[in-house]
Amino acid sequence: MAAETTFFATFSEWIQDLGEADDQAAAELNLEENPMRDPGYAAKADGPTARPGPEVNAGDPAHVCRVLEAVQALAPLIAAQRNAFDSGRRLPDAVFAALADAGLFRLWLPQALGGPELSPFAFMRVVEAASALDGSVGWLVGNGAGMSRIGGYLDEAVAREWYADPRAFVASATGAVGTATAVAGGYRVSGRWPFGSGAHHATRFMALASVRPDDPASPLLCCYLGRADVTILDNWHVSGLRGTGSCDFEARDIFVPAAHAHPFLGLQPTQPGLLYRMPPSSVFAWSICGVPLGIASGAMTSFAELAKGRSGNRTALRDREIVQATVGRTRAMLRAARALLIDAMTELMAATDTGGQRLVEARADIRIANAHAAETATSVTEMLAASAGAVAIFETCALERAVGDVRAAAKHIAMSPNNYVTAGRLALGLDPGTARF
C-alpha cells in the first residue's frame, strides 16, 4: 500500500494543477457577433493543442510520466484523423495501431507478464487524458486496457500467449448471456452479444455465457473467443462515441477450452497484486469511469479557446460575467466528482482484504461515485455547450462531439442511475437487491 499512497499524493497534486486553461474560459456565442455563416470558426477549438490531456508533473512516477507523454504525443494524429471516426464508425487503423504501440491497451497487464500494472488512480488519469483528446479514443483505452487485467486471472501461459502480440485487444460484452454447454475439455459456446467496443480490431472476444441459461441462479462464465470464431455485425449507427465500433458479435457452437474461461463473479486471481484481488465488477466499472470526466475536461479546454473570440468581435465571450460564473461552477462540479471517485476507490482498496459489510458498502459506493461522475460530466458538458450558443450545433465544433460522446458514455450500465438504488437499499438496512455491483 505504500506505493499506492505515494501515487495518491502525486495524483492529488495533479488535481490542483488540472485545468489551468479553464481559468480563461467562457462562452455564450452571440449570433450577431459570430454568425452561423462561418461555422468553421468552431473547428479552431478542435485542434491538437486545444484539447490536451493532463500535464505530466515533475513528481510523477517515471512509468506514469511515460504513459501520459505517450497520450499527449498522439494528439496531432487523433486531430488529423478525427473526421474518419464518424464516417468509418470505428477508429482508423493508423490510430488504433498507434494506441496499441504506445502500450495503452495493456495498462493493467500484470508486471509478472511484462505489463505496467498501473494503480487504479494512475489508470483513471490515463483514461481521462485520452478521453480529453477524444471520447472514442478514451473509451477504447479504458475498455482495452481494462480487459488486460485478465492476465491476473488466466493461466499464465495462456495470458503470455495472447499478449505476446503487442497489438492484443480483448473486446468484451456483458450486455447479454449466451450458452456454454459443457463438453470434454471445455465448452461449446453460442450467442449474440452487443456493445463489443473495438470489435473490428480485436484479437479476442470476451462473452458472458451460462451453462444453464434458463436458470437465473446459474453462475456466469467469461468465455474468450478467437477472432475467427465470431461474426461481427455492422450495426454501430449511433449519436455518440461513434469511433468505438461497438458492434454486436455472434458465435455459433464454438469450442472454448476450459483454460480460456473463468467465472464472472467469485473468480480466483492467479497474480498477487491488490488490483486482481479487488471485486471484479467494481474494477470493471472503474475502468471506464474516467471517460466522462475526460470528455468534460476536454470540453472545458475547447470552451476556453472558443471564448477568446476573434478579431472584429465587440465583446469577447470570456469577458461576460455570466459566462465566467458558469465556467467556475462547472470546474467545481468536475473536481468534486473526481474527488468522490478517488475517495470511493481509496475505501474499496482498503476494504478488499477486510471483507464483510465494509466491502459490500465500498462496492456500492464505487458504483454511485461512477454514476455521479457520469451525471456531473454530462451536466458540465451540456452547460458549456448551452453557453456557447448556436455554434455548438455544428459538427465542426468540439463541443458538439463532446455532448454526444458524454451522453453515450453515461448510458453504460457501470454508470447507471440504478446504482443509487443499491446504495440506498444498503443505507436503509436492506439487502443490495443484486449480486452484480
Side-chain angles (χ1 to χ4, degrees):
M1 290 298 294
E4 299 289 354
T5 303
T6 300
F7 180 76
F8 181 71
T10 60
F11 187 74
S12 298
E13 294 168 2
W14 167 66
I15 289 176
Q16 295 174 357
D17 294 335
L18 184 64
E20 300 243 332
D22 298 341
D23 286 337
Q24 310 174 48
E28 180 175 328
L29 196 63
N30 184 299
L31 277 180
E32 182 180 351
E33 297 173 1
N34 296 278
M36 286 195 294
R37 65 173 177 268
D38 185 17
Y41 165 66
K44 296 177 183 177
D46 205 25
T49 60
R51 301 174 66 185
E55 294 182 357
V56 178
N57 296 323
D60 286 337
H63 66 288
V64 177
C65 290
R66 287 193 295 271
V67 177
L68 288 171
E69 288 167 353
V71 173
Q72 292 176 353
L74 291 170
L77 174 64
I78 291 168
Q81 297 277 335
R82 186 171 283 116
N83 288 340
F85 292 14
D86 291 351
S87 59
R89 294 173 291 109
R90 66 186 77 171
L91 291 191
D93 292 346
V95 175
F96 189 92
L99 294 169
D101 292 345
L104 295 176
F105 298 140
R106 52 180 65 213
L107 302 178
W108 270 348
L109 191 67
Q111 290 183 1
L113 302 183
E117 195 175 324
L118 292 188
S119 75
F121 305 113
F123 186 95
M124 185 180 81
R125 186 175 175 189
V126 173
V127 171
E128 190 174 354
S131 302
L133 295 177
D134 184 89
S136 291
V137 170
W139 189 259
L140 290 183
V141 169
N143 275 265
M147 285 305 297
S148 67
R149 182 168 165 266
I150 64 175
Y153 303 106
L154 294 168
D155 181 81
E156 186 170 320
V158 172
R160 285 189 181 279
E161 177 187 352
W162 291 358
Y163 280 94
D165 181 352
R167 295 183 178 176
F169 184 96
V170 179
S172 64
T174 58
V177 177
T179 61
T181 304
V183 296
Y187 306 91
R188 306 294 303 189
V189 176
S190 296
R192 173 172 172 169
W193 298 269
F195 304 113
S197 297
H200 297 287
H201 295 98
T203 53
R204 291 274 165 182
F205 292 77
M206 189 282 281
L208 281 185
S210 172
V211 294
R212 299 188 304 275
D214 296 331
D215 179 5
S218 177
L220 299 179
L221 296 174
C222 294
C223 299
Y224 295 88
L225 307 166
R227 182 171 183 81
D229 297 331
V230 306
T231 300
I232 299 172
L233 306 175
D234 191 15
N235 62 346
W236 189 242
H237 299 272
V238 291
S239 59
L241 297 178
R242 289 186 284 259
T244 63
S246 301
C247 298
D248 289 15
F249 61 91
E250 62 182 359
R252 292 288 176 263
D253 197 33
I254 298 298
F255 176 70
V256 175
H260 293 187
H262 60 70
F264 177 58
L265 301 175
L267 65 168
Q268 296 299 312
T270 56
Q271 297 291 334
L274 175 63
L275 176 66
Y276 313 108
R277 301 198 309 274
M278 289 194 292
S281 292
S282 301
V283 181
F284 161 71
W286 180 267
S287 67
I288 54 174
C289 71
V291 176
L293 293 180
I295 294 171
S297 294
M300 293 185 75
T301 306
S302 297
F303 187 57
E305 188 69 21
L306 186 66
K308 292 178 182 178
R310 53 181 177 170
S311 59
N313 282 2
R314 290 192 297 274
T315 304
L317 304 176
R318 67 181 179 181
D319 294 334
R320 300 177 182 178
E321 186 173 332
I322 189 172
V323 175
Q324 296 164 4
T326 296
V327 171
R329 181 171 288 107
T330 55
R331 186 178 183 189
M333 292 166 61
L334 198 60
R335 292 177 65 161
R338 188 184 292 113
L340 177 59
L341 275 169
I342 294 169
D343 180 76
M345 175 51 74
T346 302
E347 172 60 14
L348 181 72
M349 293 165 66
T352 291
D353 291 329
T354 302
Q357 187 63 21
R358 181 183 181 184
L359 180 57
V360 172
E361 293 177 0
R363 289 163 53 198
D365 283 347
I366 200 83
R367 298 304 285 265
I368 61 172
N370 281 8
H372 177 263
E375 290 177 351
T376 301
T378 300
S379 295
V380 164
T381 307
E382 291 179 344
M383 289 167 67
L384 295 173
S387 294
V391 75
I393 71 173
F394 284 91
E395 292 181 351
T396 52
C397 182
L399 292 173
E400 187 275 339
R401 179 182 295 272
V403 168
D405 285 350
V406 78
R407 286 176 177 172
K411 294 293 190 295
H412 194 278
I413 190 172
M415 296 172 264
S416 169
N418 289 336
N419 291 325
Y420 293 119
V421 175
T422 301
R425 288 180 62 89
L426 289 171
L428 292 170
L430 302 171
D431 65 77
T434 177
R436 293 182 64 175
F437 72 97

